[in-house]
Amino acid sequence: MQNFVAWQATQIVCLLFPLCAALPSAKAETRCVKGYWWGPDAVGGDTLMIAARYKEDVSWMATHLQGLIPFVVYNTNDSTATHYTEVHNGNEAAAYLQFIVDYYDCLPQYMAFIHAHRRDVKVAPDHDMDQDLRQISWKSMPAFASLNRSHLTWHFILTQHRRRQMQRHQQSHQGQEQTEYHLQAARGIKVAWEQLFQAELGDLPDELYVNGGGQFMLQRERIMLHQRSFYQSCLEWLADSTELSPWDKGMVFEYTWKCVFGEEAEALDHNVWGLQ
């Protein structure tokens, strides 16, 4: 029954996105066609939700997002899916990057990059993503903003391999004691910066403030700060680099999306729900 529901959701997605049926399973240089690929009847016309899926039930999207926002699901586990990435390292980062690489030449103006579950029972058990999306005024949002309801806010001192959990409403150095996990998180960013980001983003910042969670809103011009080849190199780094674990590589991107998309490392990113 669960497989049928997932199949049914996939069919509805393809009805929303007519390009689905025309696309070959093999990866193409780009999946764009003239006009907007997500369909002329899409609500809003220039907004899109991109969901990174492992094995989550995504039937809620077809049920609750129709008439609200068009969406596309990028799979990291189901190779038969219309949208799939062969890169299995990096958590949701691989799915997000694959979408950007595939559709770089025809991106919508406003995008929400999210995890595929409707509700995060651990972080925000009283909030459904479709209800949250109804509250967003897309055109009044900053070009990059955190969609996370997690109360985790991290302060990194990267030159010292340090990470601290901040208290909300306080951009201070006070927080939890340093642990090996914190050390590894900071070290991972430094490794990735040297191997991947240095040439594109410049020198490693001394400090980094970030909302934890890996979900964000983004406008097209922020993606266009970099060539498509940069995002392809990020995918290749996730697939091929060996110094960090698959999980740690994903966490690197969770902490650094704001830097990739043009935010200042030393300033805490805007949170849509006002959770700074």
Side-chain angles (χ1 to χ4, degrees), residues 123-152:
V123 173
D126 298 325
H127 295 275
D128 293 331
M129 180 55 73
D130 52 288
Q131 295 300 320
D132 280 351
L133 289 172
R134 292 180 189 278
Q135 301 178 41
I136 294 174
S137 177
W138 293 85
K139 293 184 179 180
S140 65
M141 286 291 132
F144 177 91
S146 169
L147 275 171
N148 302 300
R149 284 194 175 274
S150 167
H151 286 269
L152 289 177

Side-chain angles (χ1 to χ4, degrees), residues 204-250:
L204 178 75
D206 292 333
E207 297 184 78
L208 170 65
Y209 290 91
V210 63
N211 281 293
Q215 302 182 107
F216 50 88
M217 293 180 60
L218 190 63
Q219 293 186 28
R220 177 173 55 217
E221 58 265 25
R222 292 300 184 90
I223 293 179
M224 304 304 288
L225 291 173
H226 312 292
Q227 296 294 316
R228 183 176 179 271
S229 57
F230 169 69
Y231 299 107
Q232 182 63 51
S233 68
C234 291
L235 264 180
E236 293 170 358
W237 181 83
L238 284 178
D240 300 333
S241 64
T242 59
E243 191 164 345
L244 300 176
S245 72
W247 172 265
D248 286 332
K249 286 187 283 188

Side-chain angles (χ1 to χ4, degrees), residues 3 7 26 35 74 97 108 111 150 152 189 193 198 254 261 263:
N3 289 338
W7 174 86
Y74 260 80
L97 289 165
M111 289 159 276
S150 167
L152 289 177
I189 295 174
W193 210 279
Q198 179 80 36
E254 178 172 320
F261 295 126
E263 296 292 294

Side-chain angles (χ1 to χ4, degrees), residues 36 90 99 110 128 178 199 251:
Y36 32 35
F99 164 79
Y110 305 100
D128 293 331
Q178 190 77 342
M251 295 308 294

